Every structure is written in C-alpha cells, then in structure tokens.
Amino acid sequence: MNLRVLTTLTLFALCIVASNAQQIDPEIKSMAEAIENKVIDWRRDFHQNPELSNREFKTAEKIAAHLKALGIEVTENVAKTGVVGLLKGAQPGKTVALRADIDALPVEERTDVPFKSNVKTTFLDTEVGVSHACGHDTHIAILMGVAEILSAHKDKIKGTVKFIFQPAEEGPPPGEEGGAKLMIKEGVLKNPDVDAIFGLHINSGTPVGMLRYKVGGTMAAVERFVINVKGKQTHGSAPWTGVDPILISAKIIDGLQTIISREAPLVDEAAVITVGKITSGVRFNIIPETAELIGTVRTLDYDMRDLIIKRMNEMVPAIAKTYGGEATITFQNNTSITYNDPELVKQMLPTLEAVAGKANVVTSKATTGGEDFSYFQEIVPGFYFFLGGKSADTKIAPSHHTPEFYIDEKGLLLGVKTMSQLALDYLNAE
C-alpha cells in the first residue's frame, strides 16, 4: 500500500472517529445561553424566599406554574410538596429522570447580596433564620431551565423526560416522612418506569466551569443515632454517692472514636462517627440522672457500616455498665450510599466532556456528606455529579450549610447545558 492511500485511509478513519464523538447540540447550547438571565432571576427569587423541608409550598407553586406554562404534564403534592413533570418526546423510547432538591435550611444568611434571605420561621420550637445555604435554589432554577429547553425541542426526544422536584432532601421534620424515600413510596419512579436518573449538586469549592464526578460510592450512607444514658442523681459536692451520666457520656464518646481509629479499615473507605449534641442536667451543683447524646455515622461501604453499628451496639452499654450506669442506643437511616452506576457513568461521561470540555471534567474522591438521591439509585441506575460554583477570585470558599455560603451564578449555565444534553444523549443513544 503506497503512502498516499495509507494517508487517505488514516484521514478517513479519523473523520469517522470525529463524527462519532459526542458533541453538544448547537440549538440546546444557543437556547441555554439565551435563557441564562432568566435562570439567574429564578434562582434569586427562590434564594430570597426559602422554605424549610416539607414546607416548600410557595416554591412548589412557582415550579408547577412554570411547567404547566410549558405544556408539561404536572403532578403536584408528591411526597407532600414535591412536583413532578412529564415530557413525552416525538418518538417512543426510554424514560430518564432529572432531579432537583428544593428545600432550604434553618441557617441565618450573612452575605451581602441584594437578594439575601431575611426569612424567619420556627424550627423545633426555636426561631431561626432560613436560607438556601446548600445551593438547592440553583438546582431548582437549573432544572426549570432544562424543562424550558427540552419542552421546546420535543422533536429531538426519543422517549420521556421526568422532571423530579424533590422536597425535604435535608430531612423531614421529626415525626414526618419526606424526601426521596417518600417520593419512591408514592411511585415517582413508576408510570412510566424510569430507566435512569441524573442529579447534580452545585459546589462552592469547585471552580465555575468544572464538573466533578466519581464512579461507584461518591457520598456516604448516613445514620442518625441517639444514646440514652442513665445514672443516679446526687449532689455535685458528693459524686461518690451517685452515678454520673455526664462522665459516662464522655467515656462513650471517647470509646466510639476507637472504632474509627482502631477497627475500621480506613484504607478501603472513609468512615466517621460524630456526636453533635449532648443534653444533660439543670444546675451546676447537681449530678443529673440522665444524659442524651445525638450523633451521626458516615460510611461509604456497607460492610464497614455493619461493623461500626455492631461495635457501637456492643460498646455503648458495656461502657455505661463499667461506670455503674446503663445506656441504650438506637439508629435511624437517613441516606444510603450515593452510588454512581459504573456502566451509566461510562456511557454518559462523553456528554459531560463535550459540554464542559474534557479538561474541565475531573474525577474526585468520595465525601462523607450524605444525599438522599441515593434512594433513587437503589432502584434505578443513577449518575450524580458536582457543578462548579466557586468564583475565580475566591481563595477559600465558605462551606455549605454555613451563614456565609455563596455561589457564583456564572456556574448555572453549565448546569443547564449539561443536564439538557444528558437527557437527550441518554434517550437517543442506540
């Protein structure tokens, strides 16, 4: 074979590869850029008017009104305040779900943005400020933008898109059901059956323009635990005449950390035990009868989770008994492991790279934060990734769930483009 023929064949092969490479739809890109300011306006409205878990009444009304105006089939009051939109494409096919969480947090905002939240409400019998201190306002606005784009391009859709606006991701109030678990219980993944689900979370520490993801376990399973310690009340001047539940609590806290430092195989995955609240006593000179400890366990491996819970169940009553008291421990599962299906990630990674640019799509380590998106992923394959929201001039970004939490709105456009293209590429894949 001569050089000219070889060169021609090589160029032909490269053209085939190039033609098969994933690219962002120019019409999707153009419309996303055209509605960017509208998306930002929606975000600012939600930011200024935040609502707590299972109380997202006005938020849900605005979402539903927008979807209805687009001609999307809407179901309201799903899992109390959730909204679900159904968009059928021009051709039959699979069903993909896109999810955004819609609740805010009992955190008083301390930023100086003109659309700052000044909302106050009562949470657990305490007056609190309310703010979108985790970026759920951006998630709502992004998915509303995606709905507007895809509804205008139904001719490009082979199948069905289900828009899931989920309440209570941060957890329902005590004594109530809510969140992804309740949505699943009420059939959100049925009629039609969802084949795959995508979700994103804006991140204050990731630069604008970047996407982060991890194959497999990406966020932790979250367990809430309550320990009740019983001692014997006595005068603070004579501790030997009673049994001190505060001392026992201190020993329990110390002991629990040895499970992490000496028993958990941390070279496999991270794990955390945190006691976040201790309640005991009424006066400085009385050793009380009881104490209550409330905390969380975070794990990225189910075997490790089982080991830690088993050891906590063994250790807590044993430590209390050693010091003459009694103790019980109970657990409540808050989220499962947010697990990105390896095959789905492999299939959709070219879409992320086409939209953001290959250099801007990076793998990341797992985090011990939790996400109830994980419950969807237990039922259907899911892909959950992080969207950059950090300004170029920001050196150290305030953490999520803090009064100073801040997101650069320039990051929203990439979120709209990515979620729109993910839905199209998944449904139209051969």
Side-chain angles (χ1 to χ4, degrees):
M1 185 180 293
N2 64 44
L3 182 60
R4 179 175 294 179
V5 173
L6 180 61
T7 302
T8 301
L9 289 174
T10 301
L11 289 172
F12 179 68
L14 289 174
C15 287
I16 292 175
V17 171
S19 67
N20 290 334
Q22 198 62 264
Q23 295 181 346
I24 184 169
D25 186 302
E27 292 183 356
I28 299 301
K29 178 177 182 291
S30 175
M31 187 170 177
E33 291 168 353
I35 68 169
E36 180 182 10
N37 288 337
K38 189 188 292 189
V39 171
I40 290 172
D41 287 343
W42 289 331
R43 182 261 166 159
R44 292 183 178 185
D45 181 40
F46 290 123
H47 189 90
Q48 202 162 22
N49 300 281
E51 296 175 296
L52 294 179
S53 302
N54 279 359
R55 305 292 185 271
E56 309 95 331
F57 305 113
K58 294 294 184 183
T59 302
E61 284 180 14
K62 294 172 184 176
I63 294 167
H66 175 67
L67 297 183
K68 289 175 182 177
L70 297 173
I72 292 173
E73 180 185 327
V74 175
T75 304
E76 299 176 72
N77 304 315
V78 182
K80 300 186 185 296
T81 52
V83 179
V84 179
L86 202 63
L87 176 65
K88 296 177 182 178
Q91 302 176 60
K94 296 176 289 187
T95 297
V96 66
L98 308 176
R99 177 271 208 166
D101 35 14
I102 67 174
D103 54 332
L105 286 159
V107 174
E108 186 167 350
E109 185 171 2
R110 288 202 297 258
T111 70
D112 59 359
V113 296
F115 48 91
K116 172 184 176 180
S117 169
N118 292 306
V119 174
K120 302 281 186 181
T121 192
T122 301
F123 179 71
L124 299 181
D125 300 322
T126 303
E127 184 177 295
V128 295
V130 183
S131 69
H132 273 292
C134 201
H136 295 185
D137 51 341
T138 69
H139 303 167
I140 306 167
I142 286 169
L143 195 54
M144 285 172 62
V146 173
E148 185 157 330
I149 291 170
L150 295 182
S151 65
H153 293 89
K154 287 190 288 187
D155 59 308
K156 297 178 181 288
I157 298 174
K158 184 180 178 182
T160 302
V161 182
K162 188 175 283 191
F163 301 96
I164 299 175
F165 291 87
Q166 181 212 305
E169 188 281 324
E170 299 292 356
E176 296 183 21
E177 289 186 280
K181 248 184 183 178
L182 186 55
M183 290 198 111
I184 292 167
K185 184 178 177 180
E186 294 185 2
V188 75
L189 298 179
K190 301 290 184 182
N191 301 316
D193 292 349
V194 170
D195 295 290
I197 187 167
F198 298 108
L200 60 73
H201 203 305
I202 202 155
N203 183 258
S204 66
T206 300
V208 165
M210 293 192 71
L211 300 174
R212 291 194 297 107
Y213 75 98
K214 181 182 179 295
V215 178
T218 187
M219 296 186 79
V222 177
E223 322 292 331
R224 178 183 186 269
F225 65 83
V226 178
I227 299 172
N228 286 296
V229 181
K230 184 177 180 181
K232 181 182 177 183
Q233 187 165 317
T234 190
H235 199 290
S237 65
W240 54 88
T241 62
V243 175
D244 189 345
I246 296 176
L247 173 66
I248 293 172
S249 298
K251 298 296 183 181
I252 288 173
I253 294 170
D254 189 45
L256 293 179
Q257 296 310 317
T258 66
I259 300 174
I260 299 298
S261 66
R262 291 296 179 268
E263 298 186 47
L266 299 181
V267 292
D268 296 334
E269 290 288 1
V272 172
I273 299 175
T274 293
V275 175
K277 182 181 180 183
I278 304 175
T279 306
S280 186
V282 292
R283 275 186 61 86
F284 76 98
N285 62 349
I286 299 175
I287 290 176
E289 185 175 26
T290 62
E292 181 185 67
L293 292 73
I294 301 177
T296 184
V297 178
R298 307 292 175 112
T299 51
L300 287 151
D301 176 89
Y302 285 116
D303 289 338
M304 196 182 296
R305 181 181 71 173
D306 292 344
L307 166 68
I308 290 171
I309 290 176
K310 175 178 178 290
R311 290 294 293 126
M312 290 177 74
N313 277 317
E314 294 169 347
M315 187 177 284
V316 166
I319 291 174
K321 185 177 180 181
T322 298
Y323 293 94
E326 300 173 11
T328 61
I329 182 169
T330 57
F331 291 89
Q332 173 190 315
N333 175 249
N334 283 44
T335 74
S336 293
I337 295 171
T338 306
Y339 185 84
N340 283 335
D341 182 83
E343 286 303 313
L344 185 61
V345 174
K346 181 180 179 182
Q347 177 187 346
M348 304 314 302
L349 185 58
T351 297
L352 268 62
E353 293 176 342
V355 178
K358 192 169 184 178
N360 293 318
V361 180
V362 298
T363 57
S364 60
K365 294 181 179 180
T367 75
T368 47
E371 238 297 344
D372 77 350
F373 185 83
S374 57
Y375 293 127
F376 297 123
Q377 292 174 306
E378 289 185 323
I379 310 297
V380 299
F383 185 10
Y384 188 84
F385 58 95
F386 296 93
L387 171 69
K390 179 184 176 184
S391 302
D393 58 354
T394 300
K395 292 184 179 179
I396 301 176
S399 172
H400 291 240
H401 289 217
T402 63
E404 294 80 19
F405 176 76
Y406 175 80
I407 286 296
D408 188 333
E409 294 170 329
K410 293 186 181 72
L412 274 62
L413 177 59
L414 178 58
V416 174
K417 290 179 180 178
T418 305
M419 289 293 270
S420 300
Q421 197 66 47
L422 276 172
L424 282 180
D425 288 350
Y426 177 79
L427 292 175
N428 297 335
E430 295 297 330

